[in-house]
Amino acid sequence: MSAQAIQDSYPPAFAHCYGCGANNQHGHHLKSYLVGNETVARFTPDLKYSGGVPDHVYGGMIASLLDCHGTASAAAYAYQKEGRQIGDGREPVRFVTASLKVDFKRPTPLGVELVVRGMLRSLDGRKAWIDLVLTAGELTCATGEMLAIRLPEPVDA
Amino acid sequence: MSAQAIQDSYPPAFAHCYGCGANNQHGHHLKSYLVGNETVARFTPDLKYSGGVPDHVYGGMIASLLDCHGTASAAAYAYQKEGRQIGDGREPVRFVTASLKVDFKRPTPLGVELVVRGMLRSLDGRKAWIDLVLTAGELTCATGEMLAIRLPEPVDA
């Protein structure tokens, strides 16, 4: 597993995301890690993040988790492709979302740890396609696919 | 404009959504209205909902707004198709998201009112396809498409 969360490698000027930015004091601080050939994040939403029906997570939270984990995954795979360690002190890598599709497979239970995984489909220049899966225990609750775009360097402004 | 917000017609047992449920005391309480042949919701995210770069809205919030507005739109168009008024006291209509795709066209400014519109593409049985647009002033910041599925009646359990 990468020693550092991918989000903790983001340049400070780009680390304010409510979903995952280390510099957003109010946010969720999602942390994603590279584990072998996939990325993994774990998150337990607070009970207030109910969907229409109590005891299930609302769709916006699910999309948020996939979104933040997806761009983190894209950065992780760019580091990997370049033979670099995440947060190696060189020019940081930061992707943003161009497109995100979420398929809600079943209601996502609230009050349990959710696991989000990201798999690289392709990485070509500044474009990364990431496949995403959100599970609760053995249940696959949502899947996603993201097109992420790498910000031009330098991103440490 | 529909006199009642679409979300305020949701049956109480299905009105707990963090994004738009009247019965979620912590949530955003997004309110969507049917206005002629489109649906409209207006929302100004708090400044804490920053994206990676300050002064822009984080992607999860944008997805959340489109998600909640999309299912509300589906319900509104189902009422319309049946010649009913929203919240007419008869069996309430409630849709949930099967799939949501969001295209982020440009950074969405934070600190201004966002307007989300929903247009019906098709409504066939329990399936509704909704096209979505999120604007900030004159700027189109995101577009979306949703497949929403109507919950079987009765939904007022």
Side-chain angles (χ1 to χ4, degrees):
Chain A
M1 190 167 90
S2 55
Q4 187 180 46
I6 301 159
Q7 289 88 355
D8 289 338
S9 74
Y10 290 170
F14 293 78
H16 297 269
C17 176
Y18 185 84
C20 65
N23 290 348
N24 190 318
Q25 62 178 310
H26 304 286
H28 298 316
H29 299 132
L30 186 74
K31 304 286 187 192
S32 304
Y33 296 88
L34 182 63
V35 182
N37 284 321
E38 65 178 18
T39 55
V40 180
R42 297 173 185 277
F43 190 78
T44 304
D46 187 89
L47 296 180
K48 68 184 175 186
Y49 295 114
S50 167
V53 182
D55 303 325
H56 295 103
V57 182
Y58 91 112
M61 170 62 79
I62 292 166
S64 297
L65 295 175
L66 295 184
D67 189 36
C68 288
H69 187 68
T71 50
S73 299
Y77 291 122
Y79 278 109
Q80 190 179 55
K81 185 175 182 179
E82 295 172 12
R84 293 173 55 184
Q85 295 295 312
I86 293 166
D88 59 6
R90 294 163 52 198
E91 189 65 50
V93 176
R94 184 72 162 96
F95 280 76
V96 294
T97 311
S99 180
L100 174 67
K101 181 173 185 287
V102 182
D103 287 304
F104 298 87
K105 300 294 188 185
R106 69 177 75 225
T108 299
L110 192 59
V112 302
E113 183 181 75
L114 306 178
V115 180
V116 190
R117 292 190 162 81
M119 289 68 67
L120 180 65
R121 187 191 304 174
S122 68
L123 176 55
D124 181 17
R126 291 174 54 205
K127 291 185 181 180
W129 280 96
I130 306 292
D131 290 306
L132 297 155
V133 178
L134 183 147
T135 54
E138 298 298 312
L139 297 176
T140 295
C141 300
T143 61
E145 61 176 25
M146 168 185 284
L147 171 61
I149 306 292
R150 186 170 177 168
L151 291 177
E153 299 179 0
V155 293
D156 58 352
Chain B
M1 191 166 91
S2 54
Q4 185 179 48
I6 301 159
Q7 289 88 356
D8 289 337
S9 74
Y10 291 170
F14 293 79
H16 297 270
C17 176
Y18 185 83
C20 65
N23 290 348
N24 189 317
Q25 62 177 309
H26 303 288
H28 299 315
H29 299 134
L30 186 73
K31 303 286 186 192
S32 304
Y33 296 88
L34 182 63
V35 183
N37 284 319
E38 65 177 18
T39 56
V40 179
R42 298 174 184 277
F43 190 78
T44 304
D46 187 90
L47 296 180
K48 68 185 176 187
Y49 294 115
S50 168
V53 182
D55 303 324
H56 295 102
V57 182
Y58 91 113
M61 170 63 78
I62 293 166
S64 297
L65 295 176
L66 296 185
D67 188 36
C68 287
H69 186 68
T71 51
S73 300
Y77 291 122
Y79 278 108
Q80 189 179 56
K81 185 175 181 179
E82 296 172 11
R84 295 173 54 186
Q85 295 295 314
I86 293 166
D88 59 5
R90 294 164 51 199
E91 190 65 50
V93 176
R94 184 72 162 98
F95 279 76
V96 295
T97 311
S99 179
L100 174 67
K101 181 173 186 286
V102 182
D103 287 305
F104 298 88
K105 300 295 187 184
R106 68 176 75 225
T108 299
L110 192 59
V112 301
E113 183 182 73
L114 307 178
V115 180
V116 190
R117 291 188 164 83
M119 286 70 65
L120 179 65
R121 187 191 302 174
S122 68
L123 175 56
D124 183 18
R126 292 175 54 206
K127 292 186 180 179
W129 280 95
I130 306 292
D131 291 306
L132 297 155
V133 178
L134 183 147
T135 54
E138 296 299 309
L139 298 175
T140 296
C141 300
T143 61
E145 60 175 27
M146 167 184 285
L147 171 61
I149 306 292
R150 186 170 177 167
L151 291 177
E153 298 179 2
V155 294
D156 58 352

